[in-house]
Amino acid sequence: MSLRVLITGGSSGLGRALVARYLADGHRVLVGDLLPPEDPGGAEHLKLDVTDPEDWRRARTWCETNWGGLDVLVNNAGVAAAGRLERIEQEDWDWILDINLHGTVLGCRTFIPLLKEQGSGHLVNVASLAGLMNLPGMSSYNVSKAAVISLSETLRHELAPWHIRTSVICPGFVPTRLNSGLRSPDPVLARLADHLIRHGSLTPEQLADRAVRAVAKGRFLINTHREGRIAVAVKRLLPALADRRIGRQWLRTKAKLDAQDLEAEAAQPAPAGNAAAPDAPAPAGPEHTGPEHTGPEAGVREDVTAAGRAAATGGTAPDAPRGTAR
């Protein structure tokens, strides 16, 4: 049977591979993305900003008008981030939650009434292994993906009486363009994430094949990577071992972050106006009761504060891509 499938973020990366996989199986596919696919391959395209409720309403209207309904909604659009929690700006928290979480919620809210009317359908939410492992240095990304997993498990039971199925895909690292828009105030963590993404163990096409076959079987939690399944099993069955491994790895990463911070501090110029003029005489009399704090030592506190502020906003990290939402 030919399915009617809407895939968000379907113009690139994993989304593009999912589009190709569903088309290869003879299904009808609508790509919901800000940009049209370079090679649609028979898929339809609708401009869709997943954070815009009106765009979602238009997508539902399109499906009802052109297809008479929808069988599979794949909430795939997403962005990535890394960084120590205290350095991630609030606007970056809003950015990633708006796209990764609220975009998924909007998609589900828009189409659930239609699927209930039909008495059938399948919601497929793309989360991440990060939402299961919750490793340090990725708090905003972890939270956004863990919330998608929680949402999916809630809907799995909530929608079952209407014969609506729910699946959540939790891939590990995949070589896609996800890293091109990655936001991070920490260059060390940005480079680490970029390396892991570029050297993922599965191609987007391999991941899409595994995901589509698992969705067709009605599986709920789809952990596509073998190393991901092992990591989750160790965390569940041998938590002390998992904690030791994660702790050791984070200490190695922390050493690199400490070196990054020292380098950033050293690169900051001394605050203007704090150095004493060369010919200025030292104050005399009883008011001069200690060493004059107008030399380099006086700037230490201000220098450290400025370095921390610059690092928190990416000011000392020209190689950390800021990116924009797709």
Side-chain angles (χ1 to χ4, degrees), residues 24-43:
D25 284 352
H27 303 304
R28 289 177 285 176
V29 178
L30 173 63
V31 175
D33 205 318
L34 290 176
L35 299 175
E38 294 179 0
D39 180 14

Side-chain angles (χ1 to χ4, degrees), residues 73-136:
L73 170 63
V74 183
N75 286 304
N76 165 74
V79 291
R84 288 167 286 183
L85 187 143
E86 73 276 12
R87 298 197 173 200
I88 302 173
E89 296 289 346
Q90 185 60 47
E91 67 184 53
D92 288 337
W93 273 96
D94 294 340
W95 170 76
I96 198 167
L97 292 177
D98 279 349
I99 297 170
N100 289 2
L101 175 58
H102 297 154
T104 301
V105 170
L106 276 173
C108 293
R109 288 186 66 235
T110 301
F111 277 94
I112 283 173
L114 174 61
L115 302 184
K116 284 185 174 182
E117 291 175 12
Q118 296 176 169
S120 66
H122 201 144
L123 298 175
V124 180
N125 299 324
V126 179
S128 171
L129 179 63
L132 296 171
M133 295 303 297
N134 297 298
L135 299 178

Side-chain angles (χ1 to χ4, degrees), residues 163-175:
H163 308 289
I164 300 170
R165 294 189 295 183
T166 304
S167 296
V168 58
I169 304 172
C170 298
F173 294 104
V174 185

Side-chain angles (χ1 to χ4, degrees), residues 115-199:
L115 302 184
K116 284 185 174 182
E117 291 175 12
Q118 296 176 169
S120 66
H122 201 144
L123 298 175
V124 180
N125 299 324
V126 179
S128 171
L129 179 63
L132 296 171
M133 295 303 297
N134 297 298
L135 299 178
M138 300 172 60
S139 57
S140 62
Y141 186 70
N142 292 346
V143 167
S144 73
K145 293 302 188 178
V148 170
I149 296 169
S150 177
L151 170 70
S152 302
E153 187 165 5
T154 301
L155 294 177
R156 176 192 185 190
H157 299 290
E158 185 175 313
L159 301 177
W162 287 270
H163 308 289
I164 300 170
R165 294 189 295 183
T166 304
S167 296
V168 58
I169 304 172
C170 298
F173 294 104
V174 185
T176 66
R177 292 194 305 174
L178 185 65
N179 54 334
S180 65
L182 183 143
R183 293 189 181 187
S184 176
D186 286 312
V188 164
L189 297 177
R191 287 192 292 269
L192 176 60
D194 177 75
H195 174 82
L196 292 171
I197 291 171
R198 286 188 292 107
H199 294 85

